[in-house]
Amino acid sequence: MVTGCELPVGVETDQKGYRGLGLEQVTKRHLEARKRADMEIPPVEGPASTGGPKAGDIYENVEVLGDLSIGEFNRLMNAITAWVAPEEGCNYCHVPGNFADENIYTKIVSRNMLEMTKTINTEWDAHVGQTGVTCYTCHMGNPVPENIWYEDPGMKQAGGFAALRMGQNLAGDNVASSSLPNDVFSAFLQEDPKNIRITPRTSLPGPEDPDNLVDAEWVHGLMIHFSDALGATCTTCHNTNNFPDWTNSPVQRVTAWHGIELVRMLNVDYLNPLQPVYPANRLGASGDAPKANCATCHNGLQLPLDGAPMLNDYPELNRVERREGWTPVQGDAATTEAKADVAQDAADA
């Protein structure tokens, strides 16, 4: 019992409502400090002149940053190197001795990531606000972000007794090794997602209540991911007196709703379409591309990078423009529809 309990060290509580109803926000400062230990944001590059020739007129095959001045372009390239590949350097995305060469997959991927970053910053302020994101938000000095996910073939149901497992009872990190359904990312964060708002009133589905307890278990597995990814508890987004009710929920619940829609858009429009570009060693066991979830950006903190407004220092990331004739690897139609949905939802909120 002693080894299974956690000492109440560094735990702070803040009463959010009437006592006795569980309306209490619990914060574990020692865990937050541990997560911040490796978070060393690289120094800001010095300002660059907006004048002079354009990067697209000087360098070859500059497909998405050609409208930046040569000074702005080089400044941003130096920053991206520090954010993504500080040990590998420029050669992580460029062929040594021939930066114009297109025969390196990381160069293609990085262009899409730049487009994706601009889309998040300019179209999804309902979630990221004015803080925005940069490459460092997810990468934090690593060529591949630490928190990505792939489809898990172990979750696929076999015949016989294994078919009764309901995707559960496997020790998966996604749901803190609980007995809940494990493959929650495939279920909720891709195309045709399962419904998240599940409050079943019966153990079995019926005409008046099509969702059952199994559906609720899937949702609870996703909620465990949210809690772990943000270092947050249920009361961050919910009034525990009435979980389904939006009326008395904290404002963070609306922000989280937009975040779920954002992650789905990123996977559908930007990350899954890159599957043909990646080499086999970058693909999952099922041959799928790496994808994002909440932990990809948040890395265990409620505010990514503790809310550091890095975008303020690199406004070039919001000036990503495609060169005429170049088509990025993404689903533009789905992106346009998602943007329209988010704009309407923000207006309604």
Side-chain angles (χ1 to χ4, degrees), residues 2 5-11 30:
V2 172
C5 295
E6 185 176 8
L7 293 174
V9 177
V11 177
H30 64 293

Side-chain angles (χ1 to χ4, degrees), residues 56-70:
D57 298 330
I58 301 298
Y59 298 129
E60 295 181 48
N61 296 332
V62 180
E63 305 287 5
V64 295
L65 298 172
D67 286 342
L68 298 182
S69 71
I70 192 69

Side-chain angles (χ1 to χ4, degrees), residues 2 8 18 20-21 50-51 55-56 83 112 124 129 163-164 172 187 217 223 236 250 306 308 312 320:
V2 172
Y18 295 113
L21 296 178
T50 59
W83 294 339
N112 266 55
W124 292 83
L164 304 176
E217 287 184 324
M223 294 297 139
T236 302
D306 252 0
N312 291 346
V320 177

